Amino acid sequence: MKKTRLVLYMKNILINGDMSAKAFHNLDVFLKKEIENGVKIFVLMDKNTRQHCLPYVLKQCPELKKATDYFITAPGEAYKNLETVVSIWNALSAENATRNSIFINLGGGVICDMGAFAASTFKRGMRFIQIPTTLLAMADAAIGGKTAIDFNNLKNQIGTFAEAEKVIIDEHFLQTLPENELRSGFAEIIKMAIVKGPKEFDLLRNQTYKEISDWQPWIEMAVSEKEKIVQKDLTEKNIRKRLNLGHTFGHAFESLALERELPLTHGEAVAMGLVCDAYLSVKYEHITSRRQKRIEDYILQQFPYFKISAADTMTMLFRMRQDKKNKADAVRSTLITPKEILFDVEIPDTDIVDTLAYYRALAVS
């Protein structure tokens, strides 16, 4: 299996300072050679990344000014759909893009997911590079070779497995993030700390996301742990499913929010999903209530509670029945044990309803 050329710190990873400048210099040299050989370069971003991130990237990587075309989308999960992808395909066709062309995704999780999907499906797959600009994309979305768009108000229903030519992570972009986006990415770091083990989570638990001034160690932890798992199971046949911790319930929260046009980031939804999976983990006697409360209290201390009603329970249950991880018409989730993460755990409808009732009760506890 091809190993993605991650440009970060350690293990080919560069994150900030002079090292990120070296990463962009290497990208500049790479693009210069490709352009001289007649390769067309395309860049996808949203309006926010165009304003706050593109000037920095062009300064670090002047060759990018020679890109054949820049595609600008509206920001937000609402535009991560087939309609946007069709517009990208049409533009690529109009510019005579080929499989040898290079598609660069400059943005957060939406851009990295959607742009990678558009590139991986155009003419059966063109090369693409990820330049994540949010903490969530750095810690998760840009890494691991998953691409996706939303469909019928369901999260990431259409997608492929396709590895990026390069991934460049630069902590500089975190300076441009509003607080809710920084917090959103932190949920994926919490998830990866839990996946890595109790010691890692207890180390993280000593501080809140507002107290972290140096993100480099935590980005490194999340990326290295994810890559270690992905390199063994790119297409999610077995152990990669550990990375779905918090996501079965989390995607149901997110789909509900999308359907009702309520404000909820992906990370905030995953955080609530982690609370639910921790509850199920103690309900099934995999972990102690003490460990469950540590996870729950740490998350609720930092993430806004997303209010759901009893009526929402059935809507979320319906959404969870559509989850792509399900087998034999049974909802599957990922749970925590003392030493490892269990995946493909069948969750009966009655336990889903019970878990969501527990979650609702947290609003008044």
Side-chain angles (χ1 to χ4, degrees):
M1 179 177 64
K2 182 183 81 172
K3 184 175 179 63
T4 298
R5 298 177 61 187
L6 292 168
V7 188
L8 294 167
Y9 175 78
M10 297 174 61
K11 298 181 182 177
N12 293 331
I13 298 177
L14 294 175
I15 291 181
N16 55 16
D18 292 338
M19 290 180 289
S20 72
K22 180 180 178 182
F24 276 114
H25 172 72
N26 291 342
L27 177 62
D28 202 53
V29 172
F30 170 76
L31 292 179
K32 179 177 173 61
K33 184 180 295 186
E34 295 289 329
I35 292 170
E36 287 175 350
N37 289 330
V39 172
K40 294 182 177 183
I41 312 296
F42 301 90
V43 183
L44 175 69
M45 68 195 94
D46 65 30
K47 293 178 181 178
N48 291 335
T49 6
R50 180 186 188 184
Q51 178 182 353
H52 298 292
C53 303
L54 181 61
Y56 173 79
V57 174
L58 292 179
K59 183 177 180 181
Q60 300 293 321
C61 183
E63 285 296 317
L64 207 54
K65 296 176 183 177
K66 301 176 183 177
T68 303
D69 204 353
Y70 293 89
F71 306 143
I72 317 294
T73 73
E77 189 78 25
Y79 297 94
K80 184 181 163 184
N81 54 35
L82 188 58
E83 183 180 357
T84 305
V85 171
V86 168
S87 70
I88 293 170
W89 289 333
N90 284 333
L92 289 171
S93 295
E95 293 291 349
N96 297 315
T98 71
R99 293 171 67 177
N100 197 43
S101 301
I102 297 173
F103 197 88
I104 298 177
N105 300 307
L106 175 64
V110 169
I111 291 296
C112 289
D113 279 356
M114 179 172 62
F117 174 74
S120 70
T121 49
F122 184 76
K123 297 191 175 178
R124 292 186 178 157
M126 63 190 293
R127 295 183 292 168
F128 65 94
I129 293 171
Q130 304 279 44
I131 306 180
T133 61
T134 65
L135 182 59
L136 187 144
M138 293 177 189
D140 184 60
I143 307 297
K146 274 187 177 181
T147 85
I149 56 172
D150 302 337
F151 185 68
N152 286 343
N153 286 321
L154 292 170
K155 178 80 175 178
N156 293 342
Q157 285 290 292
I158 310 294
T160 64
F161 290 100
E163 294 186 276
E165 183 90 3
K166 298 175 185 288
V167 180
I168 298 178
I169 294 180
D170 189 339
E171 237 184 346
H172 166 85
F173 295 120
L174 300 184
Q175 300 172 19
T176 69
L177 293 184
E179 181 177 321
N180 69 319
E181 285 295 337
L182 197 65
R183 183 175 58 212
S184 178
F186 190 55
E188 291 289 352
I189 288 178
I190 293 174
K191 180 199 78 176
M192 291 309 304
I194 296 172
V195 168
K196 189 167 185 180
K199 290 183 180 179
E200 196 72 24
F201 175 72
D202 285 342
L203 181 63
L204 179 64
R205 204 164 58 90
N206 291 327
Q207 55 197 330
T208 68
Y209 77 92
K210 291 182 179 180
E211 296 168 335
I212 297 176
S213 57
D214 181 10
W215 286 100
Q216 177 174 322
W218 295 112
I219 295 173
E220 285 180 12
M221 180 278 297
V223 171
S224 62
E225 187 67 15
K226 182 170 184 178
E227 277 293 289
K228 182 173 68 176
I229 293 171
V230 168
Q231 289 301 317
K232 296 177 182 177
D233 181 24
L234 173 65
T235 56
E236 203 174 85
K237 301 298 183 185
N238 46 74
I239 64 169
R240 182 170 181 161
K241 295 177 184 179
R242 294 173 183 170
L243 302 178
N244 292 324
L245 184 67
H247 282 65
T248 300
F249 283 91
H251 282 167
F253 280 109
E254 194 169 4
S255 293
L256 178 68
L258 279 171
E259 183 179 337
R260 301 189 178 176
E261 298 183 353
L262 300 171
L264 186 69
T265 66
H266 173 69
E268 289 166 349
V270 168
M272 298 306 104
L274 290 172
V275 170
C276 292
D277 279 344
Y279 170 75
L280 271 176
S281 298
V282 75
K283 179 181 176 70
Y284 289 5
E285 299 182 347
H286 294 313
I287 61 173
T288 64
S289 57
R290 183 168 178 259
R291 187 175 177 193
Q292 178 238 341
K293 289 300 290 182
R294 282 182 175 181
I295 294 171
E296 180 182 295
D297 291 346
Y298 184 65
I299 289 172
L300 294 180
Q301 174 190 3
Q302 301 177 80
F303 288 83
Y305 177 85
F306 183 74
K307 186 177 180 180
I308 62 172
S309 67
D312 290 331
T313 296
M314 299 315 296
T315 301
M316 292 180 67
L317 177 58
F318 171 78
R319 294 298 184 195
M320 292 173 73
R321 286 174 178 159
Q322 309 299 312
D323 192 279
K324 57 188 176 295
K325 300 182 293 298
N326 294 345
K327 289 183 178 179
D329 294 327
V331 174
R332 307 280 171 150
S333 197
T334 308
L335 303 183
I336 308 163
T337 76
K339 294 185 178 180
E340 63 179 354
I341 302 298
L342 290 181
F343 53 86
D344 273 347
V345 181
E346 183 174 333
I347 312 298
D349 289 357
T350 52
D351 287 345
I352 293 173
V353 172
D354 174 63
T355 301
L356 293 175
Y358 173 83
Y359 173 81
R360 287 201 314 276
L362 293 174
V364 294
S365 61

